[in-house]
Structure formats: C-alpha cells, structure tokens
Amino acid sequence: MKLHRNIALGIISGLEKTLIEKRPAADVLKKLLKINPIWGSRDRRSIAQAFYEIIRKKKFFHALTGPESEAENLWNLMGCWMVLNDFPLPEWVEFKNIDAEEIKAKAPVLVLDRKYKYSIPDWLDQICEEAFGEEIWEKEIESLNTPANLIIRVNTLLTTVEKLKEKLLKKYNIITSIVPDYPHALVFEKKQSLQKIKEYREGWFEVQDANSQKISPWLKPESGKYYIDACAGAGGKSLHLADLTKDSAKIVALDIYPAKLHELRKRCLRNKIESIQTVNVDVKGVFKTLKHNADGVLIDAPCSGLGVLKRNPDTKWNLTPERLTEILETQESILQTYAPMVKKGGNLVYATCSILPIENKLQIVKFLSSKLGSKFELEKEHTYFSHLTDFDGFYCARLIKKM
Ligand SMILES: C[S@@+](CC[C@H](N)C(=O)[O-])C[C@H]1O[C@@H](n2cnc3c(N)ncnc32)[C@H](O)[C@@H]1O
C-alpha cells in the first residue's frame, strides 16, 4: 500500500477522535468516510483496515515505538503498522522516530508475551486469565482480536434465507454462506456497503451477528403473547422477536435513549413490522402505565462489551476496573427494575455481549439470592464463546418466575 498524505491525515484524525477523545470507533470511521467522498472503494477498505488494526494492536505498537498518551505518537502507531505490514514508509517528518529495523527485531520477542501479542490491558488480561484459565483465555482473545465478518439476519416475514442468498448472488454477484445451527443467518464472503442493495433498503435483512441471533429464541417466542424488551436499543433483538412471532405478538421495546428507539421505529418501517411498540423509560410514570404481566422479559443488559471486541476493539482501551464496577451495579439495578414485569410462569431472559462471569453467571447468582430473585428459578444458561463459534461472545440465561 502506498500511503497518500490525505489518507494518512484522515486515519490520524480518526485515531485522535477514537483514542484521545474516546469516541466510538465505528461512529468515527463512518463519519470519516462520509466527509471524504472522494476516496474510492479500495482506499476506503484500506483506511478501515488500517484504522481498526492500529486500534486493535495499540499496546503492541506503542511498546515497539515509544510510550503512549502523547497525541503525536499516533504517527508512531501508524508508522509501526506500515513497517510490520511491509509497506514503504514515506519520508515524512512525522515518521522521523520510526526505526524500521528495530521494530522488526523487537516484534518477534514481544509477541511471546500474550499481553502484547493481543494488545490487552494488564488488569483485563489478569481477570480473564483467572476467570477462564490460560489456555481458554488465549484462544478466546485470539478470536476476539480477529475482525468480524459481515453477517446478516434474514427477515423471514418478507423472504427466505435461500431466496435472499440466490438474489444476492444473481443480482449483485455477492457470495454468502449459510451457517449450520443459525437458521436465519447469512455470512458475506466480503465486507461491503449495503446501501446499494435494494432488498436491504426494503427490509429483507438486517445486520446482526450470528450469536446475537441466538438470544431472542431464549424467550421461547409465540404469536399472540406479550413480551418486553427492556434494553432494546436500536432493536436488533426486538426485530428478531417480531420475526419469530410472525409479527403477531405484542412487543414493548424500552430504552433510556429516545434516539435509539427512533432508529428502531425506522427499522420497523423498513422491515414492515407492526407488532413493536417503543417506550422511552425516562418518561415519568411509564412503569405504572406499562402492564406488568409479560409472558417474557428480555434484559439485553448494558455490559463491558468484551464479547464484541471483534467489531469494537476500542472497548479494550475505554474499559477500566472502575467502569466495570459501574456496569455491574447498573446490571444489578436493571434486573431488579424489570424482573417484576414477568408474569407467574413467564420467562426472564438475561443476556450480555460479554463473556465475563462477573457480568453473567455471578450476576444471576446475586439476583437469585435477592428477595425478588427468590421468586425465580434458573432454568438454563450458556456462554457463546467466540473461539468456539467464530462469532461474537455472548451470555444468556433463562429464569422462570415461580410465584
Ligand atoms: C446491549 S444494549 C442493547 C442492544 C439491543 N438489545 C440490540 O439487540 O440491538 C443495552 C441497552 O440498554 C439501554 N439501557 C441502559 N440502561 C437502561 C435502563 N435503565 N433501562 C432500559 N434500558 C437501558 C442502553 O441505552 C442500551 O441501548
């Protein structure tokens, strides 16, 4: 790859917004590509690849080129990425500190240490090693450090997996593959923009990781029943639930961010789904007006996001022990807030996109030992590891309300 100056400046500005201003990498990249329409599709792919790889391997690159936290070291990160990918380094003043020979000599030694090989903060590496043991953790972080494929969930209210697969191939020359055990998923052979695909704009499919597609079925969804998606966000799982219930259940989607629910409403229109009603939980009195006799409540709780490092590698750098403690408190409080909405005999499904037992199994143990939790019984739980599936990491538990 030959690095043009305007592209280098674009990548640096993206890195600055993500690593220094701490804005989400995915949003930063989207905006960067939008404000630079002159970049062609090859450039865009290279930019995205460099941007994510530098974020993913930040700790490793810093150890090879100098200490982190100085703004100008973003150039060191990019220089290191160029050297290790054997790209010619332009003779720019910003790369004056890059010693390619030294980087190439030090790299094979540094990768012997897992914390550098996979660029993991020391504290996170330690708690994960304690939680999973060295062997499993190494396999898991290796998988989580690999970029995600583009995976979609087919909207079976409008088409079938086979029909869409064929349409994508014949009309757009897009190759996808079916995934055994993931009945509504298709994996794209190559990443690409979906906007040009008419069927996407018309709601035939949504982007959704394959393991994420495992979660809504935990509610044992049935037409005609009443479900609450307590942490719906932009509604990936609500939409799936509507599909699984043939758009004829009652689904109430809650969130504290109106903007996310607005996005969900747009997706409902695109998917031609009418069974989802959105409710902003900041509105006073919403809990009083909301019927508390749901057949199933899904709590897709806010979490560390450790299971989705494939697509959000910046999470590694924004997560701290203090932030993790706050997240655990939020999860505990959300369980206490929404569990009463399950009717007797109904299901409470708790899920996270994390693999950490403290956010998952131990959070459920804590809930079950509370006064409210004593009314529930754990029926089943499962951790979807990335190294065993190649998809994002998730946890899911189903509790039944006994009384
Ligand atoms: C993991 S995300 C949900 C993702 C979503 N279910 C999906 O499939 O696309 C967690 C969501 O919980 C929301 N949230 C945080 N605190 C909440 C609360 N107290 N009540 C309801 N939602 C909350 C966040 O705004 C965020 O959208």
Side-chain angles (χ1 to χ4, degrees):
M1 174 178 156
K2 189 167 176 326
L3 189 63
H4 293 287
R5 185 130 184 113
N6 74 328
I7 289 184
L9 288 170
I11 296 174
I12 291 290
S13 90
L15 291 175
E16 190 169 343
K17 290 191 177 66
T18 305
L19 296 177
I20 296 169
E21 296 170 25
K22 306 281 182 206
R23 299 200 217 156
D27 296 353
V28 168
L29 182 67
K30 201 169 156 192
K31 200 160 175 195
L32 187 64
L33 298 178
K34 193 172 171 192
I35 59 174
N36 289 287
I38 56 158
W39 291 339
S41 57
R42 254 199 23 219
D43 285 344
R44 286 166 179 267
R45 264 199 302 277
S46 307
I47 289 163
Q49 198 195 343
F51 173 72
Y52 275 120
E53 198 170 325
I54 292 170
I55 294 170
R56 195 169 279 122
K57 298 188 175 168
K58 179 176 93 115
K59 178 171 168 151
F60 182 49
F61 291 174
H62 268 309
L64 292 169
T65 57
E68 47 191 301
S69 88
E70 297 290 335
E72 64 266 28
N73 278 350
L74 296 176
W75 285 96
N76 281 6
L77 292 177
M78 187 153 67
C80 191
W81 174 78
M82 303 277 294
V83 169
L84 291 177
N85 281 286
D86 285 326
F87 297 136
L89 207 57
E91 287 187 5
W92 297 341
V93 62
E94 290 90 346
F95 291 136
K96 69 178 188 308
N97 295 327
I98 297 289
D99 181 339
E101 295 306 311
E102 195 187 325
I103 289 174
K104 286 191 172 173
K106 272 166 80 180
V109 182
L110 213 55
V111 293
L112 299 175
D113 182 338
R114 183 181 61 222
K115 293 193 284 295
Y116 290 104
K117 183 173 183 186
Y118 301 112
S119 273
I120 327 161
D122 293 5
W123 72 273
L124 190 56
D125 186 57
Q126 193 187 329
I127 61 167
C128 290
E129 187 183 317
E130 281 164 19
F132 307 112
E134 212 169 319
E135 200 183 327
I136 292 182
W137 172 229
E138 172 120 20
K139 284 185 190 159
E140 186 64 7
I141 187 65
E142 181 177 15
S143 177
L144 290 173
N145 253 18
T146 317
N149 285 317
L150 174 56
I151 304 172
I152 59 167
R153 179 182 55 75
V154 179
N155 179 1
T156 64
L157 298 170
L158 300 181
T159 184
T160 65
V161 173
E162 292 71 23
K163 268 191 209 157
L164 180 63
K165 183 173 169 33
E166 197 179 316
K167 175 87 82 182
L168 289 172
L169 183 63
K170 294 225 166 108
K171 193 166 163 192
Y172 303 97
N173 207 18
I174 291 174
I175 301 172
T176 57
S177 44
I178 287 175
V179 200
D181 282 338
Y182 294 84
H184 296 165
L186 281 175
V187 180
F188 276 50
E189 191 188 52
K190 287 191 200 139
K191 279 192 193 148
Q192 57 200 96
S193 159
L194 300 175
Q195 278 310 327
K196 64 166 199 224
I197 303 174
K198 178 171 163 275
E199 290 71 15
Y200 173 63
R201 298 195 305 270
E202 293 183 352
W204 285 33
F205 63 93
E206 287 288 327
V207 175
Q208 188 176 11
D209 171 72
N211 278 338
S212 169
Q213 298 182 34
K214 286 282 185 194
I215 305 302
S216 294
W218 279 66
L219 283 164
K220 298 187 186 164
E222 282 177 42
S223 299
K225 299 238 161 145
Y226 169 35
Y227 299 101
I228 295 175
D229 182 359
C231 299
K237 301 193 182 59
S238 286
L239 293 167
H240 191 195
L241 191 55
D243 188 336
L244 293 167
T245 51
K246 308 265 179 289
D247 202 21
S248 51
K250 175 181 172 185
I251 300 168
V252 176
L254 310 175
D255 205 278
I256 50 171
Y257 291 111
K260 294 189 183 189
L261 295 176
H262 177 69
E263 181 60 26
L264 169 54
R265 285 192 294 276
K266 285 203 315 206
R267 292 173 90 188
C268 283
L269 283 178
R270 194 168 69 206
N271 281 248
K272 326 271 182 301
I273 280 173
E274 293 179 347
S275 58
I276 299 176
Q277 178 200 343
T278 60
V279 179
N280 174 15
V281 293
D282 261 355
V283 178
K284 278 203 182 100
V286 66
F287 290 120
K288 282 188 205 130
T289 56
L290 208 63
K291 282 200 174 154
H292 279 210
N293 57 347
D295 294 289
V297 171
L298 171 61
I299 297 181
D300 184 19
C303 68
S304 65
L306 195 60
V308 285
L309 288 183
K310 274 178 177 292
R311 53 194 85 245
N312 303 325
D314 46 324
T315 297
K316 282 191 287 192
W317 314 122
N318 297 335
L319 193 62
T320 59
E322 296 72 33
R323 177 76 195 112
L324 185 57
T325 305
E326 281 170 23
I327 291 168
L328 295 176
E329 285 165 8
T330 305
Q331 290 166 343
E332 197 182 335
S333 136
I334 285 181
L335 269 162
Q336 292 293 329
T337 306
Y338 297 103
M341 297 180 180
V342 183
K343 76 172 192 192
K344 193 176 160 194
N347 294 319
L348 174 64
V349 172
Y350 174 82
T352 69
C353 55
S354 171
I355 48 166
L356 273 183
I358 39 173
E359 297 181 80
N360 299 334
K361 188 188 242 317
L362 299 179
Q363 195 65 267
I364 292 300
V365 169
K366 198 170 196 180
F367 172 71
L368 289 170
S369 67
S370 70
K371 190 171 168 224
L372 173 62
S374 66
K375 297 181 179 167
F376 289 81
E377 170 172 283
L378 174 64
E379 192 200 0
K380 196 177 154 192
E381 61 180 339
H382 185 73
T383 302
Y384 298 92
F385 282 105
S386 183
H387 74 279
L388 295 177
T389 57
D390 214 20
F391 307 123
D392 289 343
F394 273 89
Y395 167 83
C396 201
R398 183 167 56 232
L399 289 77
I400 313 288
K401 192 165 186 193
K402 297 179 293 184
M403 55 181 109

